[in-house]
């Protein structure tokens, strides 16, 4: 059976169209000596032989399945119950494309509705949409929502330097043509409260992360009061697992809550696909990008689900669209919905508690090692900063090569004043024995 769809007649017609008589004439510009080089390839393999070779090649990669991982910085290694993957692989959910006729996909709509409802409960907000590409794009969309809310009469966005540096970079890229002033992060060592004097009548949005990029937890209540007193909106970037333990941002008066949903049942997967969650107050729902599913009843009184809002250019007039974001990351949202429903509020709290206590145990043990200093300038959740006696890149290389440990994030990449500082993360998958192994390795490398 031939897998080439073109017939001889097709090829003849195409060659005639471009004015050559044969395939050889088509490639006449390529020197004959390099047209068909001898390739030093091994012989053919059977299917089981191919699988074995690919498996051996895959095992040469370092990953969380064969290495201890203490790397976080926005993507986290959490346990994923088997039911999550089992559910999202079902034919009802695993589709090749975003459903464009959603009213006939009641299962998909109900899943998204449940996802939205649980994100609202987790963040303490009134409305959540069907998800964005990732946490960084969610922040960018929050910026757009805020300036559109003020009808572009306020164009200043204050971003705390302790917001994820890649999120801030994406927000700038996303909005670079809108004439906005994204500022506040020029001095990298400032706290959120240090930015409050910069609030003015031109400020549309104040962005803070909770816990922040260094894992620290700041009191958001006075921040929210000051931001609202200036007439601006408050956006909180957050880690959903931390909200199993911490007070939800909605309780502090946040106007928009965004973040990366990957910790909710989505594997690390070399960086994606992930999902960004986005929640806000009802007052701003019509400025929100993406899709929002609502619950209703049909003409017969039966419960049903509908695509209530989809303010993108394919559904409404282009000049009225709030964003051209195109996906609902439906499968990842489904994974998050299954994870949250399986864990429940008590399970999420338990995961958060284990992360918190093991991270604090690890910080205490590392602080006992000569040459290492744990930076304690704020309460922290499950990430903390360690000043190292050697360049972080060298320590990470030795940790991996000599001990099979994936080390922390090199903060010197983004914060010049933190050169030689490492951001370490501990989750529920890091056992006390794992922590002792890390401590012994760091002591050996001091």
């Amino acid at each position: 059976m031939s897998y080439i769809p073109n017939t001889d007649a097709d090829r003849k017609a195409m060659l005639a169209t471009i004015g050559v008589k044969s395939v050889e004439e088509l490639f006449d510009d390529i020197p004959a000596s390099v047209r068909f080089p001898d390739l030093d390839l091994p012989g053919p393999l059977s299917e089981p032989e191919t699988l074995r070779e690919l498996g051996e090649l895959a095992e040469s990669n370092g990953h969380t399945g064969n290495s201890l991982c203490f790397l976080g910085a926005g993507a986290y290694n959490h346990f994923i119950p088997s039911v999550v993957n089992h559910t999202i692989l079902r034919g009802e959910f695993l589709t090749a494309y975003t459903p464009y006729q959603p009213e006939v996909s009641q299962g998909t709509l109900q899943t998204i509705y449940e996802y939205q409802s649980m994100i609202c409960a987790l963040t303490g907000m009134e409305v959540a949409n069907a998800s964005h590409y990732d946490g960084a794009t969610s922040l960018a969309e929050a910026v757009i929502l805020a300036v559109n809310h003020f009808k572009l009469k306020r164009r200043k966005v204050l971003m705390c330097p302790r917001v994820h540096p890649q999120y801030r970079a994406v927000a700038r890229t996303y909005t670079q043509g809108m004439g906005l002033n994204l500022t506040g992060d020029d001095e990298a060592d400032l706290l959120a409260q240090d930015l409050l004097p910069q609030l003015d009548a031109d400020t549309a949005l104040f962005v803070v992360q909770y816990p922040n990029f260094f894992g620290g937890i700041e009191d958001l209540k006075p921040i929210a009061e000051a931001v609202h007193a200036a007439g601006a909106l408050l956006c909180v970037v957050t880690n959903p697992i931390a909200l199993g333990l911490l007070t939800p941002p909605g309780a502090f008066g946040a106007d928009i809550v965004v973040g990366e949903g990957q910790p909710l049942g989505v594997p690390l997967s070399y960086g994606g696909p992930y999902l960004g969650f986005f929640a806000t107050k009802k007052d701003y729902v019509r400025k929100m990008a993406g899709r929002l599913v609502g619950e209703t009843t049909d003409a017969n009184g039966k419960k049903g689900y509908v695509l209530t809002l989809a303010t993108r250019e394919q559904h409404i007039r282009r000049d009225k669209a709030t964003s051209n974001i195109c996906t609902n990351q439906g499968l990842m949202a489904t994974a998050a919905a299954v994870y949250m429903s399986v864990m429940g509020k008590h399970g999420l709290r338990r995961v958060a508690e284990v992360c918190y206590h093991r991270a604090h145990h690890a910080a205490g043990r590392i602080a006992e090692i000569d040459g290492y200093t744990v930076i304690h300038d704020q309460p922290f959740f499950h990430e903390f900063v360690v000043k190292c006696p050697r360049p972080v890149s060298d320590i990470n290389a030795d940790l991996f090569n000599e001990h099979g440990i994936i080390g922390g994030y090199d903060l010197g990449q983004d914060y010049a004043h933190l050169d030689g500082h490492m951001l370490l993360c501990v989750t529920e998958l890091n056992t006390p024995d794992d922590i002792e192994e890390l401590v012994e390795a760091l002591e050996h490398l001091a």
Side-chain angles (χ1 to χ4, degrees), residues 153-182:
K153 293 179 180 177
R154 292 184 176 218
R155 292 175 176 269
K156 181 177 175 181
V157 175
L158 282 171
M159 294 195 295
C160 178
R162 299 193 180 205
V163 172
H164 197 304
Q166 295 171 0
Y167 286 26
R168 288 184 275 124
V170 169
R172 284 192 164 89
T173 302
Y174 223 81
T175 61
Q176 60 185 314
M178 298 179 65
L180 306 182
N181 178 21
L182 275 61

Side-chain angles (χ1 to χ4, degrees), residues 47 77 97 172 181 225 252 263 266 278 374 384 436:
E47 183 174 347
N77 184 34
Y97 201 53
R172 284 192 164 89
N181 178 21
E225 291 173 353
F252 292 114
V266 178
F278 190 109
V374 176
F384 53 94
E436 287 306 309

Side-chain angles (χ1 to χ4, degrees), residues 209-228:
Q209 187 164 336
Y210 168 80
N212 63 41
F213 184 63
F214 304 146
I217 303 167
E218 301 180 55
D219 183 3
L220 296 188
K221 189 173 182 180
I223 303 292
E225 291 173 353
V227 170
H228 292 152

